[in-house]
């Protein structure tokens, strides 16, 4: 009964080649988040959508973009992946923005070669 | 600026022992303090959470202790089991932003 599903689980991309990661949710939550987690580090918030409203973190590079075509789906686009973008990318959802539980997907492990 | 500081970075405990992980925060606007458990190759999962109107919350073997005046909170795992071996993240957020700020994580190993 997976509630937040990320595809693919593992993605290998070439340096500079655009890549898209996807996330879907069955919880009908208003908020969807994208986090970047590098090895042995805490998840770092890249951006989030509250419904259709997009909110970018100030330190998120322009190389990272996102789309949310409907409530259930959210995409992370990396326009020109660099070696430093290799990481686990986590999608999460929450019912609202305010101090409520966030549900995480299993993540997509991105390798840049 | 790191707003949530977590310690220790790693912890080894014998089976049946008590695991204790500590976190300290700076922003007094924080009013929600969850702990997430993450197994290798998996996303974090909510373990237990507390709000500052209580000083302790217990769920099974897991207890959060909260000290509002000291701006500190901790996770206690009683009767630690090898299956508890994972990385634990404390986090904090406020009603104003809803943004979860994570601590640096603690890798727990429970030896049989």
């Amino acid at each position: 009964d997976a509630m937040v599903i990320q595809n693919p689980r593992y993605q290998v991309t070439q340096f500079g080649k655009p890549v898209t990661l996807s996330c879907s949710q069955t919880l009908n939550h208003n908020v969807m988040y994208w986090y970047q987690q590098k090895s042995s580090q805490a998840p770092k918030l890249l951006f989030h959508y509250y419904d259709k409203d997009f909110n970018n973190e100030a330190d998120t590079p322009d190389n990272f973009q996102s789309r949310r075509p409907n409530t259930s789906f959210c995409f992370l686009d990396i326009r020109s992946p660099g070696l430093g973008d290799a990481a686990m990318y986590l999608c999460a959802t929450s019912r609202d923005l305010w101090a409520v539980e966030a549900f995480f997907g299993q993540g997509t492990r991105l390798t840049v070669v | 600026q790191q707003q949530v500081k977590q310690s220790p970075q790693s912890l080894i405990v014998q089976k049946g022992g008590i695991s204790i992980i500590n976190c300290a925060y700076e922003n007094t606007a924080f009013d929600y303090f969850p702990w997430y458990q993450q197994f290798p190759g998996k996303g974090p999962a909510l373990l237990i959470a507390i709000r500052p109107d209580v000083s302790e919350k217990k769920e099974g073997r897991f207890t959060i202790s909260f000290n509002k005046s000291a701006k500190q909170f901790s996770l206690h795992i009683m009767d630690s089991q090898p299956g508890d071996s994972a990385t634990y993240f404390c986090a904090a957020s406020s009603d104003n932003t809803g943004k979860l700020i994570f601590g640096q994580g603690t890798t727990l190993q429970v030896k049989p």
Side-chain angles (χ1 to χ4, degrees):
Chain A
D1 289 355
M3 297 178 287
V4 182
I5 303 164
Q6 292 188 241
N7 284 302
R9 290 291 313 280
Y10 302 92
Q11 175 74 57
V12 180
T13 191
Q14 291 180 336
F15 182 94
K17 183 176 181 181
V19 65
T20 295
L21 311 181
S22 73
C23 177
S24 64
Q25 55 133 338
T26 60
L27 297 163
N28 203 33
H29 281 172
N30 290 316
V31 191
M32 295 187 77
Y33 308 82
W34 280 104
Y35 286 84
Q36 179 192 63
Q37 186 179 25
K38 295 189 175 180
S39 182
S40 302
Q41 294 184 22
K44 178 180 178 296
L45 183 63
L46 296 173
F47 25 61
H48 73 270
Y49 273 94
Y50 183 86
D51 196 13
K52 295 180 181 179
D53 292 333
F54 177 71
N55 295 272
N56 200 30
E57 292 301 298
D59 57 354
T60 298
D62 292 340
N63 198 27
F64 292 87
Q65 304 284 318
S66 186
R67 297 169 283 135
R68 189 179 185 184
N70 54 53
T71 301
S72 300
F73 284 87
C74 195
F75 300 98
L76 170 63
D77 301 308
I78 308 177
R79 294 193 295 188
S80 182
L83 297 178
D85 297 327
M88 174 78 86
Y89 289 88
L90 296 164
C91 174
T93 73
S94 64
R95 175 170 45 83
D96 281 303
L97 273 177
W98 305 281
V100 294
E101 180 179 358
F103 293 82
F104 283 82
Q106 297 215 57
T108 294
R109 169 73 64 187
L110 178 69
T111 301
V112 182
V113 298
Chain B
Q1 183 182 6
Q2 180 64 37
Q3 295 189 53
V4 180
K5 294 183 180 179
Q6 184 173 344
S7 64
Q9 188 174 1
S10 62
L11 182 61
I12 300 174
V13 172
Q14 290 296 127
K15 178 183 177 181
I18 301 174
S19 304
I20 301 175
I21 305 171
N22 300 298
C23 283
Y25 63 98
E26 300 166 5
N27 188 347
T28 54
F30 288 148
D31 54 11
Y32 176 68
F33 302 90
W35 284 90
Y36 280 82
Q37 180 188 55
Q38 184 176 29
F39 293 104
K42 306 288 187 182
L46 180 68
L47 190 61
I48 186 172
I50 197 168
R51 292 187 183 271
D53 53 344
V54 295
S55 61
E56 184 175 282
K57 183 174 182 180
K58 184 176 181 179
E59 290 183 1
R61 296 185 293 108
F62 301 93
T63 300
I64 299 179
S65 296
F66 185 82
N67 186 329
K68 188 173 181 178
S69 60
K71 293 188 285 185
Q72 294 176 347
F73 58 110
S74 60
L75 175 70
H76 296 234
I77 306 174
M78 311 300 286
D79 187 25
S80 298
Q81 299 297 311
D84 297 330
S85 298
T87 300
Y88 292 81
F89 291 98
C90 64
S93 71
S94 71
D95 277 350
N96 289 336
T97 69
K99 218 165 47 170
L100 273 176
I101 306 296
F102 284 90
Q104 299 95 319
T106 297
T107 301
L108 170 66
Q109 182 184 358
V110 181
K111 290 193 168 183

